[in-house]
Amino acid sequence: MILAGCGNGDDSDTVPGTTSKPSTPAMSMTTAAPAPGSDTAYNDADVTFLQMMYPHHAQAVEMADLVPNRSQNQQVLDLAANIKKAQDPEMTQIGALLQRFGKPAPSADASIGHGMPGMMSQDQMSSLAALSGLDFDRMWLEMMINHHTGAVDMAETEQASGTNPEAQKLADSIISAQQTEIDQMNAMLGQS
């Protein structure tokens, strides 16, 4: 199970990563009461998705920050800038949603996400940071494809199991944007 160890201790019959929603209302009663004028109802899948996606995005931003001093490829430079430009505001949105749900502020510490799909180890990040030029570009593209694929997987789990409209809209956006970038990066690797 790809989300093992990242849950919140709730032993309900809803298993993160499954494609079915709870079949009875009692199984989905982990929702907060909506505030007047806003839709803040959520379930455990929404919280897990947001809590996992925040450090996942933080690592993508960290990877993007490595590019300007190590790459001379304008396509890689532009892609890294676009990834950072997209994911910084999503991290702000994730923090705001969790706050509205009354959940703790997310952590950008990538070490907490070691079991998440697509997360790089500290050794992998150090190896990447030690490279430059074409070697850096190739490793960065390969790692970012893997990273984005993990984010798409987590967003698809949110689509299948989450209930909060804003979290689901974020998941839709992540799938659309990151799949487009995966396709772009695969094409870039094919050119090298």
Side-chain angles (χ1 to χ4, degrees):
M1 186 67 41
I2 63 173
L3 299 179
C6 296
N8 63 3
D10 179 21
D11 289 326
S12 71
D13 292 335
T14 305
V15 177
T18 61
T19 57
S20 62
K21 292 187 179 185
S23 59
T24 63
M27 294 169 72
S28 61
M29 294 308 293
T30 56
T31 58
S38 68
D39 187 0
T40 57
Y42 64 91
N43 67 10
D44 289 341
D46 296 313
V47 174
T48 298
F49 167 67
L50 296 170
Q51 288 176 336
M52 290 174 61
M53 193 57 69
Y54 192 91
H56 204 273
H57 271 23
Q59 188 176 69
V61 170
E62 180 183 351
M63 290 171 67
D65 284 341
L66 294 174
V67 172
N69 295 323
R70 292 170 178 82
S71 179
Q72 292 77 45
N73 182 317
Q74 193 59 50
Q75 286 182 298
V76 174
L77 290 162
D78 291 344
L79 180 60
N82 288 338
I83 288 170
K84 186 172 179 174
K85 183 179 177 183
Q87 294 195 18
D88 273 339
E90 287 178 351
M91 290 172 67
T92 300
Q93 179 185 6
I94 290 167
L97 278 170
L98 286 169
Q99 183 178 20
R100 284 196 354 233
F101 297 168
K103 300 299 177 183
S107 172
D109 182 1
S111 67
I112 67 168
H114 60 85
M116 282 186 250
M119 287 293 281
M120 302 300 130
S121 69
Q122 191 54 52
D123 286 345
Q124 288 172 304
M125 292 296 290
S126 296
S127 294
L128 180 63
L131 298 174
S132 63
L134 295 175
D135 291 336
F136 172 85
D137 294 343
R138 175 166 285 285
M139 185 173 186
W140 187 86
L141 289 167
E142 290 170 352
M143 287 173 64
M144 192 60 81
I145 289 168
N146 189 34
H147 199 270
H148 273 20
T149 300
V152 168
D153 289 348
M154 290 190 298
E156 287 173 343
T157 299
E158 167 60 17
Q159 285 181 322
S161 303
T163 60
N164 181 268
E166 285 186 64
Q168 293 213 316
K169 185 176 178 181
L170 176 63
D172 292 343
S173 175
I174 287 169
I175 291 168
S176 175
Q178 294 198 22
Q179 187 58 58
T180 297
E181 289 171 349
I182 289 167
D183 295 342
Q184 179 185 358
M185 290 184 284
N186 278 321
M188 291 165 68
L189 277 173
Q191 295 168 4
S192 58

